[in-house]
Amino acid sequence: MKDLSLQLKAFEYMCQVRAMASTYESNRSICTYVHSTSRGHEAIQLATAFQLLPQDFVSPYYRDESLLLGLGFSPYELMLQLLAKADDPFSGGREYYSHPSYNGKGKPTIIHQSSATGMQVIPTTGIAHGIRYWEEWKAVQQKEGLDATSGLPPFMKADPPVVICSLGDASMTEGEVSEALQVAVLKKLPIIYLVQDNNWGISVTAAEARAMNAFEYAAGFKGLNRVQVDGSDFAASYTVLQEVVAAVRKNRQPYLIHAQVPLLGHHTSGVRREFYRTDEDWQKHQQHDPYLKLRNKLLNAGIAETELYALEEKAIAFIEEEFSRAVVAAEPDPITVEEHVFAPTAVLEEKGNREGDSAAKIPMVDAALFAIREIMEDNPNAILYGQDVGKRLGGVFREAATLGDKFGDHRVFNTAIQEAYIVGSTAGMAATGLRPIVEVQFADYIYPGFNQLVTELSKSCYLSMGKFPVPMILRVPIGAYGGGGPYHSGSVESTLLTVKGIKVVYPSTAADMKGLMKAAFLDPNPVVMMEHKGLYWSKVPGTEAAKTSEPDRDYIIPLGKGRIVLEASAEKVEEGSTAVVITYGMGVHWALTAAQSFDGAIEIVDLRTLYPLDEQLINERVKLHGKVVVLTEEQQRNSFAEALAGRISRDCFTFLDSPVQILGALDVPAVPMNKGLEQAMLPNAEKVAACLRTLLLS
């Protein structure tokens, strides 16, 4: 490498990194939050940073401070995050050191990603997938003779963007990494996986934990280009990165770079090297110090010792000054702790004609289909993907039928059986300006995607201080009927409702399905739409009320607003002989059937949205009636229904005439296959009626 100015620039950054590590170590009483440094990884990280352009995307991992410095972030900015200060530009004191998020000008975009090892690979691959979508969209526009520039996001109007996902070699053993690599090679995505291999996974060596390194592993993914480099050698690293980035920018195919690097610091400030590393191992790694290697090369190239010494002293003084400024910077105001849990939504009230123009009634499955069709007609950035949703089948419940034919394979497409990728990729897709609607085929199979939902999507808005909310809809066919069996009939709302940072919707009629789907699409946050399979077609006896006339195109229901499905008669209320059933989903229809036996004594409230929850409506109706049943299809113990009953008891205690009753499924681990056993487990109209009869007599 002949460019001495570039090598000197890299050396200056390495001097700063060295001084930063020394400063943090000598100020352990101040640097109390857990952190890692990039000592040993500097060369490959700086070589990477120097290739990137503002239209690119990069996902650093927790040891990538050198990469961030190379992108142009100052040591002071990084130190504000190190010390969890209010002006931390990435998270306002909420995230660990070297956990950036950035969507400003002049630098690549950095979405938020967690500390969970390897979990950033799926969202980051989702970014590349989103870029591929826009490239295909542009090609379709051009083929049809339409304007191919006005609808493109800004990053698509410069040289073709590339995506870099940085990770450690130990994280390659995560199953979710393989899901991402599968998609990258299948879709020929413009992404580079930069694997920094320091031979350690905390205290576990590569020999203990991995049958092969990342380069060898990559050979199993046909179409994944791969290269190895000495990541401690800046010149070699720069050459490889320059060639690979240029190739990906031109050819739009994925690459994996396996960079061997030493680990010259502790794993983290809390897990120190002396706990588990031998002197022999430590000395071996020191022999490959990138800083010393580059220093010697500069000396051999004719740079004077005095010049290098001056740069070192300058870096020490500069870092000391930066650290002193960061130490006295303001702490976050505790009053801000609840800010940015959600990005604000513009949908605040019900609008449009619920009844529509036709007296004909449609089933819920068609209401969802029509809503998504209208959404995709009106929004070119709306895409739909998941297992079997493509035009060949249109969903196992035909819930996406005709959409693939109408909108094309680039907008409606199948995925493999990869729930983690389906869910987690939406974070990256959203960062490219898309609004993904995705589907997990059955509620019982949400768990492989749950890691991404909890770890990445739900926390992104909060930990990025609102920079990266994730607007997406996750459709989840749910519920039991007709002998669906233990892995196609489960209810998962209580599990979902433990996750903060997502919204959970559960419609019970076609009109609500359409109005809530429209609101969910416009909401800038992750929304899970739970859609009861037994209500899709109203084939279950007693569910005819799920069919309604189709609302108008502009009909929308704000999330968090319940509905009174059935009012008790004024006379019964005056007598004080009424009760209210608070429920959702199939429970609405069980309650409607049961209420026929009580001559106006029963009111039914359909929650429609489980989070946010319409507690104002709930408390208002409970206070009016004094007697309440919370009805759910879920197993009752430790459920959302029990938690809601507890809040009602607390908030409405002086208005209650009897303890709050809860009716749910029996506490067995799964829904049995046999229809008789299934019915024995589940609530039904007769069980609801018996519960109400006892309550009204109390």
Side-chain angles (χ1 to χ4, degrees), residues 23-44:
T23 299
Y24 302 163
E25 184 68 13
S26 60
N27 288 275
R28 290 174 61 188
S29 62
I30 297 173
C31 304
T32 56
Y33 299 109
V34 173
H35 59 272
S36 297
T37 73
S38 58
R39 284 289 287 123
H41 293 230
E42 301 99 317
I44 190 66

Side-chain angles (χ1 to χ4, degrees), residues 474-497:
L474 173 57
R475 299 183 67 187
V476 183
I478 193 170
Y481 78 100
Y487 293 103
H488 298 82
S489 307
S491 292
V492 298
E493 55 264 37
S494 291
T495 302
L496 288 166
L497 289 165

